[in-house]
Amino acid sequence: MSDTAANGLATATALAGRGILLSRRNLDAVITSLMLPVMLMLVFVYFFGGAIDTGDTRYVTYVVPGVLVLCAGFGAAGTAVSVSEDMRRGTVDRLRTLDVGAVPFLAGHVVAAVARNALATTLVLGVAALIGFRPAATAAGWLAAIGLLLAYITAVSWLAAAAGLVARTPEAAGAVTFFMMFLPYPSSAFVPIDTMPDWLHGFSEHQPVTPLIESMRGLLLDQPVGGAAWTALAWCAGLLALAVAASGALFRLRTR
Amino acid sequence: MPPAIETAGLTKSYGSVRVLDSLDLRVDTGTVFALLGPNGAGKTTTVRILTTLTAPDGGHARVAGHDVVAERRAVRRAISLTGQYAAVDETLTGAENLRLAARLSGLPRRAAARRADELLERFGLTGARDRRTAAYSGGMRRRLDLAAGLVRDPGTTRVVFLDEPTTGLDPRSRQELWDVVRELSGHGTTVFLTTQYLEEADRLAHRIAVLGGGRTLAEGTAEELKNRYAGHRLDLVARDRDAYLRLTPHATAHTPATLTLGVPTDGSAAHVRTLLDALDPHRTDIERFTLHSATLDDVFLALTGPDGTEKEPSHV
């Protein structure tokens, strides 16, 4: 590993540690972001679930992957706000005089975001198990499903971090991530796509969240997932690449 | 010894606003240098260019012997910046903030912890080491911020930049920060600070540059500036309001409430006599006068005039 890469890694590790420590000190926000997905899952399962026909699969089992993906969207808002706060305060100036670049800076935020999300995911899975979530996945299936989810969380977090660079205020940063929270709704996350109006099918079937949900659901139920998993992975890799490239350019633009 | 900071013809515009207009500066190694100016004079922009955060549109600047654009990394290794906006995390303790800064500057974990403790000790923060910085006083936070900029080996940080270090601090905290600056300077570190407080520049700096409209209006020691630009000040009390208004254009300091006007002079009897005759040929307008040694305020007002207050673009 080159010297610069080793330095970058050490810097990103230190900044990730900072992000996690800051989250632990700001428990109110973390608890809100943990409770929200759990509450939403309960709302879907007990209020709406009865009216949704998901065939042989129990609704709770059907909806869990969607709730996990929704979680990533909630986490993204927090990431955008933290990045934006660092930009507004003197933190970024200090980091730049310490020769810290955009990638280690944002990687630190993203790693902390993934850690927060992993906690939320665990909590959602725990509560889901209590209310009747009974997956049939093999160990490999679990690993693959969790891996896909982590890939999505990483991509969405980095996109959120880029949004945090653009936004002029932390409040605006939160708003920019709104679409990330909204994306799971017009997908097969909560209701089968064929129950949606025809004109929406084209979007719903080809947006990134649908193959992600379909493959996670398939893996958790031990059903064949076909190419959906690869499509989902390609989406995540593409979004991540876009986010990294965009954030590099935005960082240079905003720190001129 | 080469100068710690040297700029030639530095220019910078934001949109159509020319913030720096051919700025020339020279700061000798080991000295304390104050850049004095009203809001919007270009102080922060100067600091941002010298600390490699902003690229100049034109001109050259060298810090610690390195070009701020071409040899950015070498400059970054030799400097420390404490900006106007706090760079410490409020929910972390003093020790945690310093350990993080030390880790980011490349120290391994143990060395970083040791360095943090040394700095806490040096800046008088050992007692507050495990308290969250949200509970710190303004002065303590500023000291911690300054310490966080000095996490590298003390020998390697050669130029310390402080952008308005005492703005918003109470007199006692200000005094403590001044002590820190003197201590740094005593160890041979060059300190470049910006301020809008004349007293601060007067008390702390070996040399002062007065900045206005993006260029240096004057440069020298506090004494030199006082002698050159306003050795003494003649305070004239006008007989009435009309007399006051007639005299106003010649004055650099105005106190309408007491009908008093200040005019610069070298303090000699000959000059005072000529001045009085020139200002009041009919010997009716001026009732009394007093003679004062000039303060840096007089220099500042003489140089920047009453309306040197355009807004500098804010940095995010």
Side-chain angles (χ1 to χ4, degrees):
Chain A
M1 191 156 42
S2 80
D3 216 32
T4 329
N7 276 341
L9 193 65
T11 307
T13 311
L15 285 172
R18 164 188 182 242
I20 291 167
L21 198 54
L22 286 176
S23 303
R24 274 170 42 196
R25 296 285 157 82
N26 190 6
L27 272 182
D28 296 356
V30 175
I31 287 172
T32 308
S33 72
L34 289 179
M35 290 316 294
L36 217 53
V38 170
M39 294 303 289
L40 259 162
M41 178 170 66
L42 297 177
V43 165
F44 271 106
V45 170
Y46 291 114
F47 297 171
F48 304 149
I52 300 170
D53 178 14
T54 48
D56 297 337
T57 315
R58 285 187 65 183
Y59 186 69
V60 60
T61 305
Y62 179 89
V63 86
V64 160
V67 172
L68 294 177
V69 169
L70 198 60
C71 251
F74 287 131
T79 308
V81 171
S82 326
V83 171
S84 166
E85 267 169 0
D86 280 356
M87 295 295 287
R88 196 178 48 124
R89 298 167 69 244
T91 309
V92 162
D93 286 346
R94 166 65 51 70
L95 291 178
R96 289 178 65 218
T97 59
L98 290 171
D99 226 8
V100 173
V103 170
F105 166 56
L106 295 177
H109 277 287
V110 169
V111 170
V114 172
R116 284 194 300 269
N117 257 295
L119 196 64
T121 300
T122 312
L123 188 72
V124 166
L125 285 174
V127 175
L130 288 178
I131 62 171
F133 173 56
R134 295 288 176 267
T138 59
W142 270 107
L143 273 180
I146 296 291
L148 277 176
L149 184 64
L150 283 178
Y152 180 74
I153 290 170
T154 308
V156 164
S157 300
W158 208 299
L159 276 175
L165 292 177
V166 188
R168 297 271 157 183
T169 63
E171 290 76 19
V176 172
T177 57
F178 177 77
F179 80 97
M180 295 176 198
M181 288 188 246
F182 188 71
L183 213 50
Y185 292 99
S187 81
S188 61
F190 305 110
V191 295
I193 289 179
D194 52 29
T195 64
M196 295 178 193
D198 289 343
W199 56 268
L200 209 54
H201 286 192
F203 176 77
S204 300
E205 279 160 16
H206 296 102
Q207 66 128 316
V209 168
T210 296
L212 178 70
I213 299 279
E214 290 297 321
S215 48
M216 281 176 67
R217 192 177 282 141
L219 288 164
L220 291 178
L221 296 176
D222 202 18
Q223 288 164 356
V225 293
W230 296 112
T231 312
L233 206 56
W235 265 112
C236 294
L239 288 174
L240 182 62
L242 177 77
V244 172
S247 58
L250 288 168
F251 189 79
R252 278 190 294 278
L253 203 66
R254 287 301 306 276
T255 54
R256 264 205 310 219
Chain B
M1 210 185 300
I5 300 171
E6 196 170 27
T7 77
L10 221 49
T11 60
K12 179 76 187 178
S13 300
Y14 286 99
S16 61
V17 184
R18 185 145 214 161
V19 182
L20 292 185
D21 187 11
S22 191
L23 181 71
D24 299 315
L25 288 176
R26 186 194 150 96
V27 179
D28 287 326
T29 300
T31 61
V32 177
F33 187 91
L35 193 60
L36 188 62
N39 283 337
K43 298 190 299 288
T44 296
T45 303
T46 306
V47 168
R48 291 185 66 84
I49 290 174
L50 295 178
T51 54
T52 76
L53 295 177
T54 298
D57 296 339
H60 296 281
R62 295 181 81 77
V63 173
H66 304 287
D67 187 278
V68 294
V69 178
E71 301 166 287
R72 196 177 304 158
R73 304 200 100 155
V75 172
R76 287 176 178 177
R77 275 196 290 273
I79 62 164
S80 137
L81 165 68
T82 301
Q84 281 183 52
Y85 303 100
V88 294
D89 290 313
E90 295 203 335
T91 51
L92 303 189
T93 67
E96 286 167 342
N97 269 301
L98 291 184
R99 280 206 298 267
L100 174 72
R103 295 268 286 131
L104 292 176
S105 77
L107 289 182
R109 206 176 289 271
R110 270 159 174 267
R114 251 199 321 273
R115 188 87 190 100
D117 285 339
E118 283 165 24
L119 285 166
L120 287 166
E121 174 78 45
R122 178 172 169 196
F123 286 84
L125 293 167
T126 304
R129 125 181 244 291
D130 296 318
R131 244 193 288 156
R132 293 188 188 191
T133 56
Y136 279 26
S137 72
M140 289 163 76
R141 215 173 303 174
R142 212 62 71 89
R143 273 180 359 243
L144 182 70
D145 214 346
L146 183 55
L150 296 171
V151 285
R152 284 199 210 84
D153 189 6
T156 44
T157 303
R158 287 184 282 155
V159 188
V160 171
F161 289 88
L162 305 173
D163 194 6
E164 301 204 4
T166 61
T167 299
L169 295 189
D170 58 56
R172 187 200 157 93
S173 304
R174 180 167 302 168
Q175 193 66 53
E176 287 171 354
L177 209 99
W178 288 352
D179 291 342
V180 170
V181 171
R182 289 196 188 98
E183 197 236 79
L184 280 173
S185 168
H187 284 82
T189 309
T190 308
V191 180
F192 183 101
L193 63 92
T194 73
T195 183
Q196 13 182 347
Y197 301 119
L198 305 144
E199 190 200 353
E200 185 159 287
D202 205 356
R203 302 268 290 265
L204 217 49
H206 298 107
R207 293 186 78 81
I208 298 166
V210 181
L211 193 66
R215 49 170 72 232
T216 330
L217 300 173
E219 205 259 321
T221 64
E223 277 319 300
E224 282 169 8
L225 291 177
K226 287 177 200 170
N227 290 332
R228 196 176 333 149
Y229 293 96
H232 289 77
R233 194 182 74 225
L234 195 60
D235 275 354
L236 310 171
V237 181
R239 190 174 301 278
D240 52 33
R241 214 173 147 69
D242 289 340
Y244 178 84
L245 292 175
R246 271 196 294 281
L247 293 168
T248 293
H250 307 285
T252 53
H254 304 81
T255 318
T258 55
L259 297 182
T260 305
L261 292 159
V263 182
T265 168
D266 64 8
S268 68
H271 187 247
V272 171
R273 193 174 294 145
T274 322
L275 206 55
L276 290 173
D277 282 340
L279 292 174
D280 184 17
H282 308 295
R283 308 198 170 181
T284 51
D285 286 353
I286 299 170
E287 197 166 71
R288 282 191 307 278
F289 72 84
T290 45
L291 192 60
H292 298 274
S293 293
T295 62
L296 217 41
D297 289 83
D298 297 315
V299 179
F300 191 68
L301 290 170
L303 287 168
T304 57
D307 53 354
T309 48
E310 343 151 17
K311 192 93 178 86
E312 192 171 0
S314 63
H315 296 281
V316 184

